[in-house]
Amino acid sequence: MENKNTQLRIFFFPFMAQGHSIPAIDMAKLFASRGANVAIITTPLNAPLIAKSIPKSEIELLIINFPSAAAGLPDGCESLDLAKSPEMFQRFFRATTMLEPQIDQILEQRRPHCLVADTFFPWTTDVAAKYGIPRVVFQGTCFFALCAAESMIANRPYKKVSSDLEHFVIPNLPDEIKLTRSQVPGYLKEEIETDFIKIYWASKEVESRCYGFLINSFYELEPAYADYYRNVMGRRAWHIGPLSLYSNVEEDKVQRGSSSSIDEHECLKWLDSKEPNSVLYISFGSLASLTNSQLLEIAKGLEATGQTFIWVVKKEIHDQEEWLPEGFEKRIEGKGLIIRGWAPQVLILDHGSIGGFVTHCGWNSALEGVTAGLPMVTWPNSAEQFYNEKLITDVLRIGAGVGALYWGRAGKDDIKSEAIEKAVNRVMVGEEAEKMRSRAKALGIQARKAIEEGGSSLSDLNAFFEGLRSRI
């Protein structure tokens, strides 16, 4: 038996995608700041991105090789963000299952007290158990989405409607939540077993054998669903978020993820010149791709609102300007700012001039919007984003949807400029917008209280550490 004062050794194994790795790195930094001996397991091409955002004296990087060639991927394809086709997407997930021998070797040699591994590494549960090491699942989403997904799996309510656009109620949840069959994640309806679907169901199968779940959320945001997940579904879980809030250092906010495509000082200077709550921020995350015709509708919709805005578009369309209406950039000079590539999102959202956020409802972005106290225009695309939209619009009542109907889109969703204009105006202008903003700001205040001493998230983090110590 080790001494109870022994420093906890906790290893993190984040999934290789920006949306998964950013909060995992935030968590590793938080654990290190609370006295744990922390290491992050990653691959050669991901290591430099992680290294620039962590305190090198506090966190160790353990490098494993990524089997790109063995899985039929191009050399250097070590992040899901680089898998540009459906075939590459599947091969990437196949490649992650080949990492087991290297993780086995690390755990055998280093014997940490705990392995925090992403939900998409289900095989780590049994590898860790081999050495008596508890595997904790990092769930990169909220309690609400986890509860909704569990009900969908158990009850399959989408099978009881007669058409793709007919609404059904997700059974047994604390609130009445309606979806259409077209909004249900494709991996629940898909009968062909792809590499991703195999991993998804494997992750569900091992849940009962895991030590527990770490959730990037806070109790006051979704109390009914935190209670439901733990008490009704019987999952051992700790809410320790919002993870993006633990660092107040401006440099940390800039360094999260890829290198910013705009000078942060230039960006902040531009924002400083705007009125409070007057600027709309638009970003669809690192994975979502929009067609040129859809980008054109967004541009037309934004222009029609007359709102000041910052719009983040993917770097690969930097030189393809046909998606912009003729003369658009000249007309919006001083009123609109287009960032091509990666933006320092947390820094921007926290600025006082930002008054609303158009988001794809990826959980990191949604929670960053909540934390900044912002009402949101919701535009889900894939993963669990349609669940997250319902939390924002129906439960928290801090958002308005553009009317997205199709999970994965597959070219079916074509949101017109009028719908975009209407949703933006609902969130930015008038009495309804003020009520949304008031509710959002109250949640932002509660988010900050949650991570203070005695707050719900810091208390759960301390409980998690105490539970691990009791095993030593």
Side-chain angles (χ1 to χ4, degrees):
M1 293 288 283
E2 295 183 52
N3 188 287
K4 292 292 181 191
N5 296 321
T6 301
Q7 186 182 29
L8 285 172
R9 295 187 306 280
I10 302 177
F11 285 10
F12 286 83
F13 186 25
F15 188 74
M16 302 83 175
Q18 294 278 16
H20 291 248
S21 61
I22 289 173
I25 294 162
D26 285 342
M27 198 190 313
K29 288 158 71 174
L30 168 63
F31 280 33
S33 75
R34 304 293 289 187
N37 183 323
V38 170
I40 299 174
I41 304 168
T42 190
T43 66
L45 265 75
N46 289 296
L49 281 174
I50 296 175
K52 73 180 176 65
S53 60
I54 60 171
K56 294 165 188 59
S57 58
E58 294 176 27
I59 296 176
E60 183 183 2
L61 283 185
L62 302 174
I63 312 297
I64 57 173
N65 291 315
F66 193 79
S68 305
L73 290 166
D75 191 40
C77 185
E78 296 180 16
S79 173
L80 189 63
D81 313 67
L82 300 173
K84 300 299 183 188
S85 69
E87 190 177 25
M88 285 177 72
F89 182 88
Q90 297 299 336
R91 287 176 178 176
F92 189 89
F93 277 93
R94 194 180 317 153
T96 65
T97 65
M98 302 176 189
L99 296 169
E100 185 172 334
Q102 295 180 79
I103 300 302
D104 188 300
Q105 188 178 20
I106 286 172
L107 297 183
E108 182 185 23
Q109 292 173 353
R110 301 289 297 268
R111 303 293 175 111
H113 296 116
C114 171
L115 174 67
V116 179
D118 192 275
T119 187
F120 288 147
F121 297 135
W123 46 268
T124 57
T125 303
D126 292 331
V127 176
K130 189 171 154 186
Y131 302 106
I133 298 166
R135 182 249 172 150
V136 176
V137 184
F138 171 51
Q139 288 283 18
T141 189
C142 55
F143 287 107
F144 177 89
L146 294 169
C147 294
E150 195 67 22
S151 175
M152 294 285 277
I153 291 166
N155 299 291
R156 310 274 174 169
Y158 52 89
K159 289 191 170 182
K160 296 165 188 167
V161 290
S162 56
S163 75
D164 273 357
L165 298 181
E166 183 182 340
H167 283 91
F168 61 83
V169 175
I170 304 178
N172 307 325
L173 295 183
D175 298 285
E176 184 178 89
I177 304 298
K178 292 180 179 179
L179 283 181
T180 63
R181 190 162 65 200
S182 62
Q183 295 170 323
V184 174
Y187 47 82
L188 292 188
K189 300 180 289 186
E190 186 66 65
E191 291 178 8
I192 302 165
E193 234 193 4
T194 63
D195 289 282
F196 171 76
I197 287 172
K198 285 178 192 170
I199 287 173
Y200 178 80
W201 290 114
S203 74
K204 293 293 171 193
E205 190 272 323
V206 300
E207 282 190 354
S208 61
R209 304 204 303 277
C210 297
Y211 179 72
F213 303 82
L214 287 167
I215 313 289
N216 184 16
S217 186
F218 59 103
Y219 184 77
E220 294 77 8
L221 182 66
E222 41 177 352
Y225 294 91
D227 291 343
Y228 188 93
Y229 190 69
R230 293 192 280 210
N231 302 333
V232 179
M233 288 172 55
R235 303 287 194 271
R236 180 157 48 174
W238 302 267
H239 46 76
I240 59 170
L243 291 165
S244 63
L245 266 188
Y246 285 99
S247 176
N248 287 315
V249 182
E250 185 173 304
E251 187 182 350
D252 283 357
K253 294 178 182 179
V254 174
Q255 294 296 343
R256 297 174 87 244
S258 298
S259 297
S260 176
S261 302
I262 188 171
D263 179 83
E264 65 270 20
H265 302 296
E266 179 194 330
C267 186
L268 291 175
K269 189 179 171 186
W270 190 87
L271 285 167
D272 286 342
S273 69
K274 310 303 175 191
E275 293 294 316
N277 300 324
S278 67
V279 181
L280 181 72
Y281 177 72
I282 307 106
S283 176
F284 295 97
S286 57
L287 287 176
S289 289
L290 299 173
T291 61
N292 279 0
S293 63
Q294 188 62 83
L295 291 166
L296 179 65
E297 292 296 323
I298 294 171
K300 284 158 62 178
L302 287 175
E303 193 168 8
T305 67
Q307 295 291 334
T308 306
F309 63 86
I310 292 180
W311 182 12
V312 184
V313 295
K314 283 193 165 184
K315 205 169 211 164
E316 52 263 38
I317 52 176
H318 185 132
D319 298 322
Q320 301 172 21
E321 303 300 353
E322 64 265 23
W323 54 272
L324 285 175
E326 196 174 337
F328 179 78
E329 290 202 84
K330 189 154 186 67
R331 290 195 300 277
I332 64 157
E333 217 167 277
K335 197 171 180 66
L337 183 64
I338 298 177
I339 299 176
R340 292 167 172 82
W342 192 264
Q345 182 162 294
V346 171
L347 200 65
I348 292 170
L349 291 177
D350 282 347
H351 196 280
S353 69
I354 299 293
F357 180 15
V358 180
T359 174
H360 66 308
C361 301
W363 184 241
N364 293 331
S365 288
L367 188 57
E368 286 162 9
V370 165
T371 299
L374 295 172
M376 290 174 256
V377 172
T378 56
W379 195 333
N381 173 28
S382 60
E384 87 292 5
Q385 294 159 14
F386 279 92
Y387 301 146
N388 296 342
E389 176 183 47
K390 293 298 180 182
L391 174 66
I392 293 165
T393 58
D394 294 12
V395 178
L396 302 175
R397 295 183 299 131
I398 58 168
V402 296
L405 286 173
Y406 295 93
W407 187 93
R409 289 202 190 110
K412 291 181 180 176
D413 260 337
D414 187 17
I415 308 297
K416 296 300 180 188
S417 60
E418 294 81 7
I420 297 162
E421 179 187 1
K422 183 180 177 183
V424 167
N425 284 335
R426 279 184 66 192
V427 160
M428 295 294 286
V429 181
E431 192 178 335
E432 184 186 14
E434 284 308 309
K435 286 179 179 175
M436 282 189 205
R437 183 166 289 112
S438 175
R439 287 191 284 266
K441 286 194 182 300
L443 288 170
I445 291 166
Q446 288 179 313
R448 282 166 168 75
K449 286 182 178 174
I451 65 157
E452 293 172 356
E453 291 296 337
S456 58
S457 289
L458 213 49
S459 297
D460 251 23
L461 178 63
N462 290 336
F464 174 71
F465 277 10
E466 284 164 21
L468 283 185
R469 284 198 175 283
S470 71
R471 296 173 55 90
I472 295 175

